[in-house]
Amino acid sequence: MIRTGTMILAGLVLAGCATQHSSEETLRQHGYSENYVAGYHDGCPSGKRAGGDSFQQAARDDVAYAAGGDYKTGWDYGFLTCRETEAQNERTASIIGAALAGSMSSSHGADGIDARDALKDIDTSGLENLGVGGL
């Protein structure tokens, strides 16, 4: 259960890293202007930050945004899309963290493995921010 949860979390992180680049390429392939793609490129990490990813930095070219046009439209789309995706990822990680924490409340899981013993030599201190306390 612990390895499965860890693999799921790692998959979510990797998927989140790949999404923005592939989305920008897809936008270009569908004929969106470079200003639209630039707006999306700035809006997406801003949306991820608003959705709960504290590692992302908000970015916006205020002059281009105020001028309206493709940059503003791309920024708004990137922000809204990535904010919702990140919020969903945060909810999923929270559910997985709660499930892992629940499985850790007793010394043996359903599979008979003592999870605390299995983790004794692994540094799990970084998992505290994921809602998996008490490891």
Side-chain angles (χ1 to χ4, degrees), residues 55-123:
F55 295 107
Q56 294 291 323
Q57 295 297 316
R60 187 170 81 184
D61 180 337
D62 290 332
V63 173
Y65 189 86
D70 285 351
Y71 180 88
K72 180 183 184 315
T73 303
W75 193 95
D76 288 345
Y77 179 74
F79 180 87
L80 293 171
T81 300
C82 294
R83 180 186 64 188
E84 183 53 37
T85 299
E86 184 58 36
Q88 180 62 44
N89 289 345
E90 292 292 322
R91 288 188 294 272
T92 301
S94 177
I95 291 167
I96 292 169
L100 288 174
S103 72
M104 299 294 286
S105 63
S106 66
S107 63
H108 291 83
D111 55 6
I113 296 173
D114 184 338
R116 290 186 182 109
D117 188 47
L119 293 174
K120 70 180 178 187
D121 295 325
I122 299 173
D123 178 15

Side-chain angles (χ1 to χ4, degrees), residues 5-18:
T6 302
M7 289 172 47
I8 291 170
L9 286 173
L12 288 172
V13 169
L14 292 175
C17 294

